[in-house]
Amino acid sequence: MGVFMFTVLVMGGTEFVGKSVVKELIVRGFQVDFITRGLKVVNFDGYHEHIICDRHNQEMLKKYLMNKEYDYVIDVSAYTKEDVEMLLNSLNLTSLKKYILLSSGAVYNDNYQVLTEETPRGWNINWKEYGLHKKEAEDYLFEEKIVPFVIFRPTYIYGKGNNLYRENYFLDCAFNEQSIFLPNSKNEEQFIYIDDLTNILIAALTNEKVNGKAFNVTHPETVTWIELTKIFERITSKEITVQQIDEEIITALNLSVRDYFPFRDVPYVMDISKLCEHELPVPKIDLLQGLQYSLSAYEKGAFDMKEQFPHLDELKEKICIFE
């Protein structure tokens, strides 16, 4: 057994972001433990310990963690203040150098075109409880200051291993020659590729300048839904028929955009100046390159997530009839 640089605990590890972080930490020579509920098969090796535990069970957490020592914790599965509080109350904090929370751009109030870290946070009608709970988790860290911490607020995360029906929604429509239904808006969006996000999270471990701060994380490229569809046309060499759906139609049918589309139709653009000022990596992978990677995974048949929209065809038909 070699000598490891540092020991890291990752909350999560068998889905998308958590899995990416664990695997990259292993490659870089960290000793890695990770906690999941054990519902997914672990199909990689090189880690120190996979702790099967429900993070919402305080007694279980303390049982598994109090006698362990970690240099760092990367938490990609916390959604509430209680999640963070319960974990920190279960850890042996004597050796812990830093706790990293993966939060979300959903913490910001609505009606702001470009989000900075100083944009007011709070209830957002588009993100509802999800954003509010993430904000409360952040507030706990800011107010209690139990350990050195850093918070990251990404826009939409995409890429290899994505367990949400997002890229595949567009790819399914392209390859099955189905019309793609888009919100009829010109809202601009930003995305971050999974590898870029992973690199930033790991870079923050040993960067002392970031302690006690929150950072927006995204690739600076902005696109509308139409522009995003054009990128999918380019990488698939397929012409995609687009139907833009007016908000009035969705309202009349008592539906929401999320009933037929895998993203929220709201502006999602961030300023990342603070990220650059604190010597953290700037996301490099643009949508064309990142979606080409996603296409490669799609062609291997790695993901079939249509069950996340089980009534999509039925809804599309309903919308067409109404129009």
Side-chain angles (χ1 to χ4, degrees):
M1 183 70 69
V3 177
F4 295 98
M5 294 189 298
F6 298 106
T7 58
V8 184
L9 173 67
V10 179
M11 300 302 293
T14 53
E15 288 279 19
F16 198 26
V17 180
K19 186 175 182 179
S20 176
V21 170
V22 169
K23 292 175 71 175
E24 185 61 24
L25 285 167
I26 293 168
V27 168
R28 298 193 192 191
F30 291 86
Q31 178 175 295
V32 187
D33 290 355
F34 62 100
I35 291 182
T36 77
R37 291 178 295 167
L39 303 179
K40 299 286 184 178
V41 174
V42 179
N43 58 4
F44 57 89
D45 53 24
Y47 55 88
H48 177 254
E49 185 176 0
H50 175 199
I51 302 170
I52 297 176
C53 173
D54 182 354
R55 70 169 300 159
H56 302 109
N57 185 318
Q58 182 82 76
E59 185 176 341
M60 285 182 67
L61 274 178
K62 285 187 175 181
K63 173 185 174 182
Y64 285 112
L65 296 179
M66 284 304 290
N67 294 321
K68 296 182 181 294
E69 292 187 355
Y70 296 106
D71 295 299
Y72 303 105
V73 173
I74 300 178
D75 193 346
V76 304
S77 66
Y79 289 94
T80 66
K81 169 193 170 185
E82 289 73 24
D83 287 344
V84 176
E85 183 176 20
M86 194 175 296
L87 175 62
L88 293 182
N89 286 337
S90 301
L91 286 165
N92 176 355
L93 301 180
T94 56
S95 63
L96 191 62
K97 296 179 175 66
K98 190 178 302 181
Y99 168 83
I100 293 179
L101 173 67
L102 184 63
S103 184
S104 169
V107 299
Y108 294 115
N109 289 348
D110 48 356
N111 300 320
Y112 289 89
Q113 293 301 308
V114 178
L115 302 169
T116 71
E117 287 84 356
E118 281 64 54
T119 297
R121 296 172 302 127
W123 176 260
N124 185 313
I125 189 61
N126 302 296
W127 299 99
K128 299 184 171 64
E129 285 79 9
Y130 170 76
L132 187 61
H133 289 162
K134 284 283 194 179
K135 174 196 175 292
E136 291 169 349
E138 291 186 4
D139 289 343
Y140 178 76
L141 293 173
F142 283 127
E143 294 164 7
E144 298 300 326
K145 297 181 174 62
I146 295 173
V147 293
F149 67 89
V150 60
I151 295 166
F152 289 102
R153 301 168 182 159
T155 52
Y156 292 119
I157 309 165
Y158 75 104
K160 58 189 178 185
N162 193 352
N163 58 320
L164 296 178
Y165 191 49
R166 287 180 170 171
E167 300 100 293
N168 284 23
Y169 170 79
F170 288 81
L171 292 170
D172 278 343
C173 288
F175 286 109
N176 296 326
E177 298 182 350
Q178 296 175 337
S179 296
I180 191 164
F181 281 40
L182 301 178
N184 188 10
S185 77
K186 295 182 179 179
N187 287 328
E188 292 191 321
E189 316 296 331
Q190 286 179 323
F191 299 81
I192 182 166
Y193 189 73
I194 182 61
D195 288 358
D196 280 332
L197 177 63
T198 298
N199 288 337
I200 292 168
L201 293 174
I202 296 176
L205 293 177
T206 54
N207 182 335
E208 297 304 314
K209 295 182 179 180
V210 303
N211 290 1
K213 298 179 175 65
F215 296 89
N216 291 338
V217 280
T218 190
H219 190 282
E221 177 184 15
T222 62
V223 292
T224 62
W225 300 126
I226 287 289
E227 291 168 342
L228 180 62
T229 305
K230 294 295 183 185
I231 297 175
F232 278 99
E233 286 187 326
R234 185 173 172 183
I235 66 169
T236 60
S237 299
K238 299 285 186 180
E239 184 175 345
I240 302 175
T241 302
V242 171
Q243 288 188 242
Q244 290 186 280
I245 310 302
D246 292 328
E247 185 178 350
E248 292 78 8
I249 293 174
I250 300 305
T251 301
L253 290 171
N254 197 29
L255 300 173
S256 71
V257 169
R258 290 289 286 116
D259 287 321
Y260 73 90
F261 190 63
F263 298 98
R264 289 169 174 79
D265 183 33
V266 294
Y268 210 12
V269 177
M270 290 182 171
D271 180 281
I272 58 168
S273 301
K274 187 175 177 181
L275 193 76
C276 306
E277 292 165 0
H278 288 76
E279 300 177 7
L280 288 166
V282 176
K284 297 178 180 178
I285 301 172
D286 64 15
L287 277 166
L288 179 62
Q289 183 180 6
L291 291 176
Q292 285 173 332
Y293 295 149
S294 294
L295 173 61
S296 178
Y298 179 88
E299 290 176 331
K300 293 175 182 176
F303 310 104
D304 183 6
M305 298 170 286
K306 295 176 185 176
E307 72 278 359
Q308 294 184 22
F309 277 76
H311 306 296
L312 182 58
D313 292 339
E314 180 183 323
L315 284 172
K316 284 184 174 182
E317 184 177 348
K318 189 175 182 180
I319 292 168
C320 287
I321 293 173
F322 187 88
E323 285 190 300

